[in-house]
Amino acid sequence: MILQRLNQYYERKLAEEDIAPPGYEYREIPYLIILTNKGAFVRFESQYLDEKRKRSRRYLVPKSVERSSNTNPNLLWDNAKYILKEPDKQAAFLVRLKSFRAYCDDDALDALIRLLGNNGDGWQKDPLYSEIIAEKNDPALTFKLDNDSDIICVRRRIMDSRFTNPYDFDEQFDNPSLPVDGFCIVDGNNASIAKIHPTITGVRETNQNRGNIVSFNKDKGAFDSFGKQQGFNAPISKKAAFAYTTALNTMLSSERRQRMYVGDTTIVFWGEKGSKLEEDGFLGLFTDPEHEKGRQKEAELQRLESLRFLLESPKSGKRPLDEETTGFYVLGLGPNSARISIRFWYEGSVAQTAANLRQYFQDLQIVKPEFESGFLSLKRLLRSTAVREEEKNIVPELSSRLFQVFAGKTNLQNVRLSREN
């Protein structure tokens, strides 16, 4: 059910043109390499958005490949090791580019192959070259023709070629074995089954901030069923695997207002359709402005205003959310040694969720001075149980137990008893 709802969210946002299309993803790219249509190097361009170099401009690029210890380059973009630093990785990057050229007839690819075939003749003299090489995190780079307004990745012929076969090209490059078709348990279609699912990023305290919800250990007989290995044990099509992971990664990105961290629990929420609750109303359940400073405090105060709108709409004559019967979903994720764990899952209507939210805050509302909100959010209650009221000290399972109070599945007294036991 969870993967089906995520798949539906992807289809909705794709129709709204508000999510990466099949075979692509949005990625922060700190540097561009500018070249001529003849394949000559022009310059490097920095795409950092702040002086501390913590954020850079996001670009639409081909979906990143899954890596272990093997050399496995991305298409048309990658980190500095694959483009500037290590000869074996540079060679693999060029081989993948030439393989894609057989699928796609675009002059920009010929120019790029010419540039890389000459080992980037001239780019070592650029002032930014030494800075890029010196960066410890090996920043990502991609390419742009000097007479184009956008990067090579999104040229029309290239995108059309990717759309023709967006899920199979990279796998064919790595593993030329024939694809396995089967019945997809997410969308019910007969399609090519994903052996390995794309990685999910942004779940707090996972290994290197990355992980999977669906995965099976390789070459382990205990995890094989009827001779089926890895993803073939739970058949999900490449299309559905891309859709649910892209939907989740999009909500987990810093650009969205649909995620929240409470202790080591990562929470995302979305609706069957767009609503005030999805935009910012539900975040009120986790608002805690008294414990924040600067811009984060301002954001928390804005969420508080959205919460007030939600709670007071029946009294003010504004259209309440209680009339909306479309679906609303909340997913709680946590770290685990093997894969991302599901802490809790909530499914209801917008009306039911708004009523639960209103009831929760009305039951716990306390009269306080004007400079305090008087709203005891889940985050505020959880912090009050932690040593020194620090979020990092919140007992992991307590967040999911307390969320059950909001969902109407238990009461606060039972949560306290369970916590003490």
Side-chain angles (χ1 to χ4, degrees):
M1 183 61 71
I2 296 173
L3 301 190
Q4 290 172 335
R5 297 307 185 200
L6 287 168
N7 187 64
Q8 291 168 1
Y9 176 77
Y10 176 81
E11 296 296 335
R12 171 194 145 197
K13 301 307 285 186
L14 186 63
E16 297 171 0
E17 298 184 352
D18 191 28
I19 203 167
Y24 275 77
E25 66 177 296
Y26 284 100
R27 173 78 63 154
E28 289 193 10
I29 304 289
Y31 294 98
L32 299 184
I33 299 176
I34 313 300
L35 64 152
T36 69
N37 55 10
K38 299 295 184 181
F41 173 77
V42 177
R43 64 185 177 277
F44 291 104
E45 285 187 1
S46 174
Q47 302 298 299
Y48 281 113
L49 300 176
D50 58 344
E51 295 181 358
K52 295 183 179 179
R53 298 189 174 191
K54 291 185 177 180
R55 299 286 307 281
S56 55
R57 184 177 173 185
R58 289 162 59 85
Y59 286 94
L60 188 63
V61 298
K63 180 72 177 176
S64 57
V65 298
E66 297 300 315
R67 283 186 180 138
S68 55
S69 58
N70 297 327
T71 297
N72 192 11
N74 288 305
L75 177 66
L76 293 169
W77 70 278
D78 217 309
N79 63 48
K81 288 182 180 179
Y82 280 85
I83 297 177
L84 301 178
K85 289 184 176 182
E86 301 183 11
D88 59 331
K89 289 182 170 58
Q90 290 175 295
F93 185 88
L94 183 56
V95 169
R96 169 152 287 182
L97 185 60
K98 290 179 177 178
S99 298
F100 180 65
R101 177 65 181 83
Y103 286 80
C104 177
D105 182 18
D106 191 300
D107 293 340
L109 296 177
D110 294 326
L112 183 51
I113 290 171
R114 195 172 298 117
L115 172 70
L116 298 177
N118 293 329
N119 294 318
D121 184 35
W123 62 26
Q124 293 89 346
K125 299 177 182 179
D126 189 280
L128 284 178
Y129 177 81
S130 59
E131 293 184 18
I132 299 170
I133 295 296
E135 288 197 30
K136 294 181 179 180
N137 61 347
D138 292 314
L141 304 95
T142 191
F143 306 88
K144 185 172 84 73
L145 295 180
D146 60 348
N147 58 354
D148 275 2
S149 59
D150 216 330
I151 59 176
I152 292 176
C153 292
V154 295
R155 285 170 65 92
R156 178 46 52 195
R157 287 186 179 181
I158 290 174
M159 293 194 76
D160 288 346
S161 296
R162 292 286 298 176
F163 291 160
T164 301
N165 199 10
Y167 313 109
D168 288 336
F169 171 76
D170 294 326
E171 185 169 306
Q172 288 172 358
F173 184 90
D174 300 321
N175 182 9
S177 61
L178 293 176
V180 175
D181 291 343
F183 177 81
C184 174
I185 60 177
V186 172
D187 60 22
N189 294 322
N190 224 18
S192 181
I193 301 302
K195 186 176 182 180
I196 300 174
H197 293 203
T199 300
I200 295 165
T201 60
V203 177
R204 180 175 277 184
E205 295 191 22
T206 51
N207 184 24
Q208 296 182 340
N209 204 35
R210 300 162 62 86
N212 294 88
I213 290 178
V214 180
S215 68
F216 296 84
N217 290 4
K218 185 179 180 180
D219 299 327
K220 300 288 185 181
F223 298 96
D224 299 341
S225 176
F226 297 98
K228 297 179 180 180
Q229 296 182 346
Q230 294 184 275
F232 302 140
N233 283 286
I236 297 174
S237 70
K238 295 173 183 175
K239 179 181 178 181
F242 174 84
Y244 90 77
T245 54
T246 301
L248 198 47
N249 282 331
T250 299
M251 287 187 281
L252 287 168
S253 73
S254 59
E255 306 294 322
R256 300 283 173 158
R257 295 169 59 98
Q258 292 170 257
R259 70 162 192 194
M260 179 57 63
Y261 297 117
V262 180
D264 71 343
T265 301
T266 301
I267 301 166
V268 293
F269 55 90
W270 68 97
E272 182 181 351
K273 296 180 180 179
S275 69
K276 184 72 176 175
L277 193 62
E278 181 185 272
E279 291 171 7
D280 52 17
F282 190 75
L283 280 173
L285 186 59
F286 308 98
T287 189
D288 190 17
E290 287 87 357
H291 277 76
E292 304 294 349
K293 297 179 181 180
R295 292 184 178 178
Q296 184 61 32
K297 185 178 183 71
E298 293 178 8
E300 295 280 273
L301 289 172
Q302 289 177 356
R303 293 170 188 166
L304 190 59
E305 288 303 311
S306 299
L307 178 63
R308 284 199 176 99
F309 170 85
L310 174 67
L311 298 181
E312 296 173 2
S313 57
K315 303 176 184 178
S316 62
K318 298 174 182 177
R319 182 175 180 268
L321 293 175
D322 303 61
E323 299 176 7
E324 298 190 24
T325 58
T326 56
F328 191 82
Y329 318 106
V330 186
L331 176 61
L333 303 170
N336 197 295
S337 58
R339 56 192 58 81
I340 297 170
S341 64
I342 305 298
R343 286 275 170 85
F344 55 81
W345 166 247
Y346 168 84
E347 179 171 347
S349 66
V350 170
Q352 179 185 349
T353 306
N356 286 352
L357 197 61
R358 186 179 295 112
Q359 188 65 51
Y360 171 87
F361 280 105
Q362 286 176 350
D363 289 345
L364 293 177
Q365 191 167 5
I366 298 175
V367 176
K368 286 192 171 186
E370 291 185 0
F371 58 85
E372 294 189 34
S373 66
F375 293 125
L376 292 177
S377 68
L378 283 181
K379 180 182 271 190
R380 183 70 191 91
L381 287 178
L382 287 166
R383 272 180 166 160
S384 69
T385 68
V387 176
R388 294 189 294 274
E389 294 198 2
E390 293 182 3
E391 191 174 338
K392 65 181 182 180
N393 295 326
I394 294 174
V395 177
E397 66 270 18
L398 194 56
S399 60
S400 55
R401 289 178 183 172
L402 193 54
F403 186 83
Q404 302 306 312
V405 176
F406 159 78
K409 296 181 179 180
T410 187
N411 56 48
L412 198 58
Q413 290 89 336
N414 288 339
V415 172
R416 286 284 300 172
L417 287 171
S418 297
R419 176 69 182 92
E420 289 170 356
N421 292 339

